[in-house]
Amino acid sequence: MTDLPATSWLTVPDLVELLDSTPSRVRRLIEDRALIAVRREGVLSVPASFIKDGEPLTELRGTIIVLADNGFSDDEVMEWLLEQNDLLDVAPIEALRAGRKAEVRRVAQALAF
């Protein structure tokens, strides 16, 4: 994976504590695409920006699915979500956190063409 913009990363144990959950529930959130994780230095990690108010950002799952349906790997999805996007004027994750879900998904869907 290419170098991603500077961000805080959470491991599964970090997520267990933050979400007041269990390791199996955290892994289920990743399997169900409510979160996406990549290996950083061999450790499964999730950007802290994917969590809001102690829960996975609800707008994230549908966006991950749109990108995966367009053939993006998990690493490519992660990179797209975190990198500055000229069409959105911010990184897609920041647009999602700002409530711009429909706009982010339109941009993501257009990547298939």
Side-chain angles (χ1 to χ4, degrees):
M1 178 162 48
T2 61
D3 288 334
L4 295 171
T7 188
S8 296
W9 292 86
L10 303 169
T11 62
V12 170
D14 295 333
L15 288 164
V16 166
E17 184 177 330
L18 185 65
L19 301 175
D20 191 27
S21 190
T22 63
S24 60
R25 179 173 178 263
V26 169
R27 286 187 182 87
R28 172 68 73 188
L29 289 169
I30 294 167
E31 289 171 11
D32 291 346
R33 311 300 256 172
L35 289 172
I36 190 164
V38 293
R39 292 211 175 269
R40 294 178 44 85
E41 299 176 9
V43 178
L44 202 58
S45 302
V46 172
S49 58
F50 289 10
I51 306 296
K52 186 175 183 180
D53 300 327
E55 291 294 325
L57 186 65
T58 57
E59 298 84 355
L60 193 58
R61 184 174 188 272
T63 305
I64 292 169
I65 291 169
V66 166
L67 292 165
D69 286 351
N70 284 343
F72 279 53
S73 69
D74 285 357
D75 286 345
E76 291 168 331
V77 169
M78 185 71 72
E79 187 174 331
W80 188 83
L81 286 166
L82 296 177
E83 287 187 344
Q84 176 78 15
N85 185 290
D86 292 339
L87 297 173
L88 298 169
D89 292 325
V90 295
I93 188 62
E94 294 307 319
L96 287 173
R97 291 180 64 85
R100 297 167 53 194
K101 175 178 75 172
E103 184 180 357
V104 170
R105 293 209 184 140
R106 274 194 301 275
V107 171
Q109 287 172 334
L111 297 172
F113 301 107

